[in-house]
Amino acid sequence: MTLHDNKYFAPFPLFLAAALFILASPVFWMGVEAPGRDRPGITSDNADLHLEIAPAMQYGFSRLRAGEMPLWNDRQLCGVPFFANPVHGLLQPLNVGFLVLDTPRALALHGFLSLSLMGFFTVLLLRAMGTGYVSAALGGMVYMCCGAVAAAMSRPGIANVLVWMPLLCCVLRSHAHKPRLLSVVSGGCGLAFLWLSGAPMISFGVTLFCAAYALALGLFGVEADATPNNNVAESILSSRLGGLLAMLLMALGLTAVQWIPTLAWARTLDAPLAFFTRFAVPGRMPTGHAALLTQLLQPRSGTLPALGYVGVSTLLLLPAAFFHRIPRWERSFFALSAALLWLGALAFANGASDAPWTALVYPAVFAVALLAGLGADRLFMPRRTTLTPRLWGPLVLVGVVFLVLFLVAPAATRGRMAPVLLALGTFAIFRTRWASVLSGVILLLLLFVDLSAASSNYGSHPFFTSAVGIPLSEETKADIRDVALEDRVMISAAANSDLIHPSVGLTDGVRVAGGAGYPLTPAQAIWWQALTGHPVDADTVLDVSADSPHALLLNLMAARAVVVAQEGGLATGSAPGLRLRRRGEAHGVTVYENENVAPRFSWATAWRLALDLPAVMAAIGETDFDPRHECVVLPDASARSHLARTVPDGRGTPGQAPTDGVMMRTHIVAHEDTPERLVVSVENAAPGILVVSDTLTPGWRAYVDGQRVPILATNGLFRGIVLGPGTHTVLFQYRPQSVIAGGMISIGALCIVMLVVMVVPIMRRR
């Protein structure tokens, strides 16, 4: 059986299945995301959607819409790589809606599209297993509307993975039945789309699940009986495993444009493993086996979806799946996978929905959905005689399970179980094809109503607000722009503030010194730990409070504007090293001007050398250090030799401020200032260092008057260019070699795939 086999994939029934899920998905999405009128603001359960996901999607896809490739993000943390971060999913085909719609509507459309495709692709897989259309639709409904999916459907990265998982399994099964070029290409593309989803942790888990399924398919196939000829069997096994290897190589080549920059970027991070294993969904994870049983039988679980709820009807269908005619190993594979994955999630996640092991829940519920479809197909299979054990055996077993669950289930669940008897009884009496279809449709409707009413998410969604995150008032925006000019803004507010959020730079077009949700380099981790007074990581909202021990570091970050919400702790004169002057207030948000700030472009005629970042921090903290005229340089062989050649007379004595005449003859103008390209004109009478308070990371290049020069690491994090006297044009350009190398590999892989697809059929015909 192959994907183009009309016996299993007739156009009209598939059209009806697609229409069913297209109509059901918005109803389910609205029921979960808008369960009531009282909509709270940002909470701990939905903070990632407002503070990280929506702002990043708006920034990245708005730049793509403008024809720019967002390699660099200049609006957070004084600048950070953007494209190298895989969670943004810029190359994911399902995210195309973000190119044409505003972010709130694109998030809603992505939810509708993802749910529809989850259900439809599950239908394709169950049809490939030989189930009827109604039973396949029932399995797709379980997968689309279960509690785990309800919790993740508004997280684009996770939803993308859940979409491609059933399609990839369907392609793998088709390839095991009859290895073909079409199945290899489809499998490679499906695996590539899975890796480009934007959720590394669950992508890795689902890849392992699909790899185990593919290996089992390669070893056992989908035929119930073994091939009698050993030579033929070995040839088939070789073709299957060779095709799987080709899929893997194809996916690696097509996604090189993403994973090569990601690996290069990960090498610079302080805790890359902790970042890439981040996983969180706004749902209730059971704390143990008893809690899982409660979730399986309890329709509601507070204000968030229960990750373990798959519908009480599903539980009644599972026993019948073991009587289905598909190979025994395949039934056992899904049953064993569901059990082991749930056991692993319960054992290692410890009931936390933000633990990495929670990702195991999703292939587990997918396996349960497939078993439900197989069970429904086995129960509602038309029979010629009423006495056949193939009919009454599964019915009796389901009846026993029904009685047990009815006795232990709460009253609300019993009410949901009773209508299942109607569906089973109708078919048990008539046993004809129309009775099979009618019973399956009844059960399908009951299951949809059950699952739709069982899950709700009372955290606010950007679709139900006036803008992404928290919109700033026009007065506050004007005050920020008037104060910040070309420099930066520091946000001082609580993480769940209803007034302003730390990712406001991505949504309102201002440069913010802090941020949220981004991993840090070792240097940034030391810097922000000194600034905040406590350890920081990607889950920390980078904020500065009144008791910050090194608030003066904001001066070096060019934080000219300081925005304080009502609940924020940074106020006028409260932090040492800052001199804040109030400039405006609107709607509980106050804007201050930091009068001690060093501008983003500054000229240093004196510098100090430091061996490492702690030494830099110590030098900056000395009382005679003047950030407006002085900088600290970290050691680098090429950069320091260039410094010695440019300033051979040894200028740069620490603590010596330049004369007024030197300052008067130093003129700095930024002619071009975009995220990946900065052109600065400098007119200086004496040699010195141009300090740009933008983050220095691998991939940045500098040119002075057309000649490439090394970049100095100044003040611990930032860029510096040593210049001799005269007028110079300095160009900073972000062009990481990893992106170029990955792009070339992906283009080459795509060309090879297209060539194979076009040439192989021609050669076969000849």
Side-chain angles (χ1 to χ4, degrees):
M1 158 206 26
T2 57
L3 290 176
H4 62 277
D5 194 336
N6 291 332
K7 177 182 177 182
Y8 291 94
F9 304 105
F12 182 68
L14 287 181
F15 169 78
L16 293 180
L20 169 67
F21 292 111
I22 290 173
L23 295 175
S25 60
V27 176
F28 177 72
W29 189 91
M30 292 290 292
V32 174
E33 294 294 347
R37 294 183 178 181
D38 296 332
R39 311 295 298 170
I42 297 178
T43 65
S44 59
D45 295 311
N46 70 337
D48 62 328
L49 184 59
H50 290 269
L51 302 185
E52 301 176 29
I53 298 174
M57 301 295 270
Q58 177 168 320
Y59 173 79
F61 285 94
S62 63
R63 291 198 59 195
L64 285 177
R65 192 184 308 124
E68 304 172 359
M69 187 63 184
L71 300 177
W72 186 257
N73 171 15
D74 65 338
R75 301 182 185 179
Q76 284 184 304
L77 292 173
C78 300
V80 286
F82 188 82
F83 177 75
N85 190 341
V87 303
H88 302 318
L90 293 178
L91 302 180
Q92 172 58 234
L94 294 179
N95 293 343
V96 67
F98 290 91
L99 288 174
V100 295
L101 298 174
D102 60 85
T103 303
R105 287 191 294 174
L107 282 170
L109 177 63
H110 186 277
F112 303 157
L113 179 63
S114 298
L115 290 171
S116 302
L117 292 177
M118 287 179 208
F120 182 72
F121 289 160
T122 305
V123 168
L124 295 182
L125 176 57
L126 285 168
R127 281 295 297 160
M129 293 179 179
T131 66
Y133 282 103
V134 177
S135 300
L138 192 144
M141 193 65 71
V142 173
Y143 181 52
M144 183 187 83
C145 300
C146 65
V149 172
M153 62 186 179
S154 291
R155 271 60 184 174
I158 303 175
N160 292 333
V161 176
L162 302 182
V163 166
W164 299 116
M165 178 165 52
L167 182 62
L168 182 57
C169 289
C170 184
V171 173
L172 292 174
R173 201 175 195 280
S174 175
H175 174 74
H177 178 78
K178 186 176 182 181
R180 299 169 59 92
L181 176 63
L182 176 61
S183 63
V184 172
V185 173
S186 301
C189 291
L191 187 57
F193 295 156
L194 180 68
W195 291 349
L196 294 173
S197 294
M201 183 61 193
I202 189 173
S203 296
F204 178 72
V206 169
T207 299
L208 292 182
F209 173 81
C210 293
Y213 185 52
L215 182 60
L217 286 168
L219 295 176
F220 304 108
V222 295
E223 296 83 2
D225 54 344
T227 306
N229 191 322
N230 291 332
N231 293 331
V232 174
E234 292 178 0
S235 176
I236 293 176
L237 178 61
S238 176
S239 299
R240 289 170 177 168
L241 297 181
L244 295 178
L245 179 60
M247 293 181 195
L248 178 62
L249 294 177
M250 177 181 169
L252 286 172
L254 293 177
T255 58
V257 65
Q258 179 66 74
W259 64 262
I260 289 182
T262 297
L263 290 180
W265 173 59
R267 294 177 57 189
T268 68
L269 299 180
D270 182 49
L273 184 61
F275 175 74
F276 289 112
T277 56
R278 293 176 73 204
F279 186 83
V281 289
R284 297 288 183 237
M285 179 69 185
T287 56
H289 301 86
L292 175 59
L293 180 60
T294 301
Q295 284 197 0
L296 290 173
L297 298 176
Q298 184 68 40
R300 280 278 183 177
S301 180
T303 59
L304 292 174
L307 300 185
Y309 192 73
V310 292
V312 67
S313 303
T314 302
L315 301 180
L316 299 175
L317 296 174
L318 295 182
F322 295 94
F323 294 87
H324 201 273
R325 62 177 177 269
I326 66 170
R328 183 179 301 173
W329 73 263
E330 198 166 9
R331 303 192 303 259
S332 303
F333 174 84
F334 291 120
L336 189 62
S337 297
L340 293 179
L341 290 170
W342 263 115
L343 289 175
L346 294 175
F348 298 107
N350 295 321
S353 60
D354 58 350
W357 294 99
T358 305
L360 297 178
V361 169
Y362 288 91
V365 297
F366 173 64
V368 169
L370 296 180
L371 292 174
L374 295 174
D377 187 67
R378 188 62 184 80
L379 284 176
F380 300 134
M381 188 176 296
R383 300 295 179 188
R384 295 181 179 180
T385 173
T386 61
L387 300 178
T388 174
R390 295 184 178 180
L391 170 63
W392 292 108
L395 280 177
V396 170
L397 181 58
V398 170
V400 172
V401 174
F402 181 92
L403 291 176
V404 173
L405 294 180
F406 193 83
L407 292 175
V408 300
T413 305
R414 293 176 182 176
R416 296 168 185 254
M417 293 176 61
V420 179
L421 291 178
L422 175 63
L424 296 177
T426 300
F427 177 71
I429 294 173
F430 297 100
R431 303 174 311 283
T432 59
R433 183 173 296 276
W434 67 265
S436 172
V437 174
L438 179 61
S439 300
V441 170
I442 293 174
L443 192 58
L444 181 65
L445 295 176
L446 292 174
L447 185 64
F448 178 70
V449 173
D450 179 14
L451 293 173
S452 298
S455 297
S456 60
N457 188 343
Y458 283 87
S460 63
H461 188 279
F463 184 74
F464 300 103
T465 60
S466 57
V468 175
I470 302 153
L472 291 176
S473 65
E474 294 300 325
E475 299 93 328
T476 302
K477 290 181 182 179
D479 290 338
I480 290 175
R481 292 190 176 96
D482 290 342
V483 173
L485 300 176
E486 295 180 347
D487 297 331
R488 291 193 173 84
V489 181
M490 184 64 211
I491 308 297
S492 179
N496 59 347
S497 173
D498 290 330
L499 301 175
I500 193 171
H501 60 88
S503 299
V504 69
L506 296 176
T507 58
D508 291 271
V510 295
R511 294 185 179 93
V512 177
Y518 234 91
L520 306 178
T521 64
Q524 287 175 324
I526 295 174
W527 183 280
W528 279 96
Q529 181 172 347
L531 187 58
T532 61
H534 55 79
V536 294
D537 54 28
D539 294 321
T540 305
V541 176
L542 300 177
D543 186 15
V544 181
S545 60
D547 57 353
S548 174
H550 295 87
L552 59 87
L553 294 178
L554 290 177
N555 298 330
L556 297 176
M557 301 169 75
R560 183 178 298 275
V562 177
V563 182
V564 182
Q566 286 178 344
E567 65 274 23
L570 194 61
T572 304
S574 59
L578 302 181
R579 188 171 65 184
L580 304 182
R581 181 164 63 92
R582 184 169 175 168
R583 293 291 300 270
E585 180 180 2
H587 306 287
V589 178
T590 306
V591 179
Y592 297 93
E593 180 179 1
N594 179 17
E595 296 182 337
N596 282 350
V597 68
R600 182 166 165 241
F601 308 111
S602 61
W603 182 252
T605 56
W607 49 88
R608 311 180 187 201
L609 301 180
L611 295 178
D612 51 25
L613 190 58
V616 172
M617 309 295 287
I620 290 173
E622 294 182 5
T623 56
D624 62 342
F625 180 77
D626 185 359
R628 299 191 180 194
H629 313 306
E630 192 177 352
C631 67
V632 182
V633 178
L634 282 170
D636 178 86
S638 59
R640 288 184 55 180
S641 62
H642 179 66
L643 175 62
R645 290 194 304 270
T646 307
V647 192
D649 57 352
R651 287 182 58 90
T653 304
Q656 287 187 351
T659 63
D660 292 340
V662 173
M663 284 299 296
M664 289 293 292
R665 290 194 297 255
T666 302
H667 187 57
I668 304 174
V669 178
H671 295 288
E672 185 178 353
D673 191 359
T674 61
E676 292 82 20
R677 184 180 172 89
L678 173 64
V679 179
V680 182
S681 177
V682 182
E683 182 180 350
N684 54 295
I689 297 177
L690 171 66
V691 178
V692 180
S693 296
D694 293 352
T695 307
L696 173 61
T697 61
W700 278 102
R701 302 177 182 180
Y703 301 86
V704 175
D705 301 328
Q707 300 295 320
R708 186 173 178 179
V709 296
I711 303 177
L712 289 170
T714 59
N715 295 336
L717 299 180
F718 309 119
R719 309 174 210 155
I721 296 295
V722 57
L723 298 174
T727 301
H728 305 280
T729 299
V730 181
L731 166 65
F732 290 96
Q733 192 170 32
Y734 185 62
R735 187 178 296 175
Q737 294 293 328
S738 58
V739 174
I740 298 174
M744 293 178 63
I745 293 174
S746 293
I747 292 175
L750 181 61
C751 293
I752 292 174
V753 171
M754 295 177 62
L755 182 64
V756 170
V757 170
M758 291 185 296
V759 171
V760 170
I762 296 176
M763 294 179 63
R764 285 180 176 175
R765 286 196 298 268
R766 289 182 177 178

